[in-house]
Amino acid sequence: WYLTISSVLGKVCNVTEIDKTTFCSIGADESVDGLIVIHVDDLLIAGTPSFYSKIRPAISKFKLRRIDGGTFTYLGWDVEKRGGDVYFSQSKYAKIARDGIVPDQ
């Protein structure tokens, strides 16, 4: 999986020196315009609208659950974007850990 996804991402991003599972895109103004972090089979993608336009064709061959922001869960963290703010919570994960019951999705 890593070899496949990294070969695709490597065409539009640079793998970072420190972490080979983190890919970085540099924009026209020489600043970071996007990041992709891989953890097993989860991708965390963040960036500017131009970054998303650049990577969408590259990653379209993979079945991704969503790539539109909003509210999602990543590695047990519930992530929600509201306006210009991003909120993180682990309340669902904590409930599962405490009760041992996985809630309906």
Side-chain angles (χ1 to χ4, degrees):
W1 160 251
Y2 174 79
L3 294 176
T4 302
I5 191 83
S6 64
S7 68
V8 170
L9 295 178
K11 294 176 183 171
V12 292
C13 298
N14 299 313
V15 66
T16 62
E17 301 256 339
I18 297 172
D19 183 350
K20 301 300 182 197
T21 63
T22 301
F23 293 78
C24 179
S25 173
I26 305 298
D29 64 354
E30 299 295 315
S31 66
V32 173
D33 73 344
L35 289 171
I36 300 175
V37 180
I38 302 171
H39 183 268
V40 187
D41 63 350
D42 288 324
L43 300 178
L44 181 61
I45 303 170
T48 63
S50 63
F51 171 69
Y52 281 96
S53 296
K54 182 169 58 173
I55 64 158
R56 274 186 194 275
I59 62 174
S60 65
K61 66 185 266 181
F62 300 102
K63 183 178 179 183
L64 301 177
R65 197 171 8 182
R66 60 184 303 160
I67 184 172
D68 59 0
T71 302
F72 60 94
T73 301
Y74 182 74
L75 304 177
W77 288 92
D78 295 316
V79 183
E80 180 180 0
K81 182 178 178 191
R82 282 188 255 147
D85 298 324
V86 179
Y87 297 87
F88 297 90
S89 170
Q90 282 195 303
S91 59
K92 288 181 197 169
Y93 177 80
K95 183 170 176 44
I96 293 168
R98 183 190 70 212
D99 300 340
I101 300 169
V102 177
D104 293 335
Q105 296 293 326

